[in-house]
Amino acid sequence: MQNIETVRNDLLARIAKSDTPRELFKVPELKQLMTAITSLPVEERGAYGKSINELKQALEVAIVAREAELDNATVESIDVTAPWDINGSSLQLFPTENGTQHPLTTELENVIDIFTRMGFEAIESRQIDDDEHMFASLNFHENHPARDGYDTFRTEEGFIPPAHTSTMQNRILKVGKAKLEAGEQIAAISYGRVFRNEDLDPTHEHTFYQCEGVFVSETATLGQMLGTLRSFFETYYGQKLKIKTQPAYFPFVEPGLEFAIEKPAALGGKSGEWLEMLGCGMIHPNVLKAAGIDPVKYRGFAWGGGIERLVMLKYSIEDMRHFKSGKLAFLRKFV
Ligand code: PHE
């Protein structure tokens, strides 16, 4: 126990000064303390193990604090009140760059471009909506348990910052009805920000981007949907891909599927490593009905998925939170 105390004090002091504090988890003293438990009498092991855990927790807290300190030290501070010198003297704030488009915007434009070339009309999604569009028109009745899956924020007035771009489906269908009646088909994507009250981690954000697709005609099939999605992903990643689907439940499609691609070897994937990219399926008759479209005469498919996930795979970005961090070092990689 005394040893634990000594190692603790020593490591805490070293962490506070280290540039690579996490490395200190690897010091031999710590390993020795951990393996020492096996040489103790059984009745002492419980208390010893607890102290080791406390030590590890204390070190983790100190390391995270030190990492944050190092991180802050590297954030560049910009004096926004300094004059912009167009003559290029040393006062010039941004000698070589005047700012660039955010990588997510560039990639979203890329996605929109691919679908537009396939004949889809692109519509921006809303950032505030209501229960009718977010849920009711999508076949979630008032107490539908699947509503819980969407971790929805609400304003005091009952408005909803949408948790998926499917919030646009009813509008797309209603506007598109006239096209169907004129013998044409509905082919649209809606893209934009969505919001979920989620715990943050490397693959979850409270605010992120989605892109949704809606297609309706007299003859739409699941096969057409899979072909459309395959063609999108192969164009976006610039290579042939293996795809698969598995059943999934969304109240607004029947059947509902999850669409996965095999992580390409060129992006560090191993064979058999599947990445789930989006949800999709044949539009539920009730969703068509809610927009005044006859589900006997017409059928459609829809899909929706996150943009960050696409981009993270393309550029091997390991943490979704980088996108909104405002860190210039991250943003400059995309210039
Ligand atoms: N809106 C669903 C989600 O965000 C995805 C989805 C869209 C599923 C369209 C099926 C059809 O989870």
Side-chain angles (χ1 to χ4, degrees):
M1 294 287 183
Q2 222 161 20
N3 268 346
I4 295 183
E5 200 50 37
T6 319
V7 172
R8 176 200 202 99
N9 291 340
D10 172 50
L11 285 181
L12 288 178
R14 284 163 71 187
I15 287 168
K17 278 183 263 143
S18 170
D19 282 341
T20 49
R22 198 157 287 280
E23 289 297 300
L24 290 168
F25 258 136
K26 297 188 195 147
V27 297
E29 300 94 287
L30 206 52
K31 234 204 188 113
Q32 272 160 20
L33 282 182
M34 288 182 206
T35 45
I37 194 165
T38 53
S39 60
L40 288 178
V42 178
E43 60 279 12
E44 286 175 24
R45 289 186 189 175
Y48 186 83
K50 203 165 154 230
S51 308
I52 292 282
N53 278 338
E54 278 163 11
L55 167 64
K56 282 201 276 188
Q57 272 163 19
L59 295 179
E60 177 66 28
V61 169
I63 288 171
V64 170
R66 176 66 184 153
E67 281 172 344
E69 195 175 286
L70 291 168
D71 232 22
N72 284 338
T74 57
V75 171
E76 294 165 43
S77 67
I78 295 171
D79 176 4
V80 291
T81 62
W84 168 267
D85 180 4
I86 44 169
N87 296 321
S89 83
S90 57
L91 272 178
Q92 193 169 321
L93 290 178
F94 307 104
T96 54
E97 55 189 348
N98 295 324
T100 53
Q101 193 162 270
H102 192 279
L104 276 180
T105 309
T106 309
E107 291 303 315
L108 186 58
E109 282 177 2
N110 199 353
V111 170
I112 294 171
D113 190 49
I114 297 172
F115 282 120
T116 310
R117 278 186 276 134
M118 286 164 85
F120 288 84
E121 186 186 346
I123 299 153
E124 188 167 2
S125 185
R126 294 191 158 214
Q127 297 194 31
I128 196 80
D129 214 343
D130 53 24
D131 194 273
E132 175 64 21
H133 290 91
M134 172 66 211
F135 289 122
S137 67
L138 292 169
N139 197 35
F140 291 83
H141 61 70
E142 210 181 326
N143 295 314
H144 200 299
R147 286 180 174 227
D148 292 347
Y150 286 86
D151 303 311
T152 322
F153 291 111
R154 275 174 201 267
T155 68
E156 281 165 13
E157 299 82 2
F159 290 112
I160 299 179
H164 56 180
T165 42
S166 305
T167 205
M168 296 300 285
Q169 277 199 22
N170 182 259
R171 293 187 184 88
I172 292 173
L173 293 172
K174 273 190 179 147
V175 172
K177 194 180 168 200
K179 281 199 170 171
L180 294 177
E181 283 161 0
E184 294 170 37
Q185 54 208 16
I186 302 176
I189 57 163
S190 65
Y191 59 90
R193 259 192 204 141
V194 293
F195 310 87
R196 292 190 193 183
N197 190 0
E198 290 203 280
D199 291 337
L200 308 190
D201 69 28
T203 54
H204 293 94
E205 266 282 12
H206 51 73
T207 302
F208 56 102
Y209 288 82
Q210 277 195 338
C211 180
E212 182 99 2
V214 176
F215 183 90
V216 184
S217 74
E218 284 186 27
T219 56
T221 64
L222 203 63
Q224 279 176 345
M225 179 184 79
L226 297 179
T228 307
L229 292 174
R230 171 193 286 282
S231 159
F232 164 74
F233 281 101
E234 291 188 344
T235 310
Y236 183 76
Y237 290 115
Q239 59 189 286
K240 291 265 167 241
L241 293 169
K242 280 196 188 151
I243 63 169
K244 78 170 181 187
T245 57
Q246 58 188 42
Y249 176 74
F250 305 95
F252 37 99
V253 285
E254 182 58 42
L257 302 170
E258 249 158 34
F259 180 93
I261 62 172
E262 194 180 47
K263 188 170 177 184
L267 296 171
K270 291 188 260 348
S271 141
E273 193 177 349
W274 293 95
L275 303 172
E276 186 203 300
M277 300 309 283
L278 49 78
C280 56
M282 297 305 287
I283 301 177
H284 195 288
N286 288 348
V287 174
L288 294 174
K289 268 193 236 161
I293 294 174
D294 176 2
V296 176
K297 185 158 186 208
Y298 300 102
R299 60 206 64 209
F301 53 80
W303 71 86
I307 297 293
E308 281 83 349
R309 189 179 300 198
L310 275 181
V311 180
M312 285 168 76
L313 173 60
K314 188 169 182 181
Y315 295 106
S316 303
I317 298 165
E318 74 294 345
D319 194 327
M320 193 185 268
R321 293 167 294 188
H322 287 323
F323 288 119
K324 278 209 290 324
S325 66
K327 288 201 179 118
L328 293 177
F330 172 74
L331 297 172
R332 281 194 183 114
K333 287 190 205 148
F334 299 91
V335 174

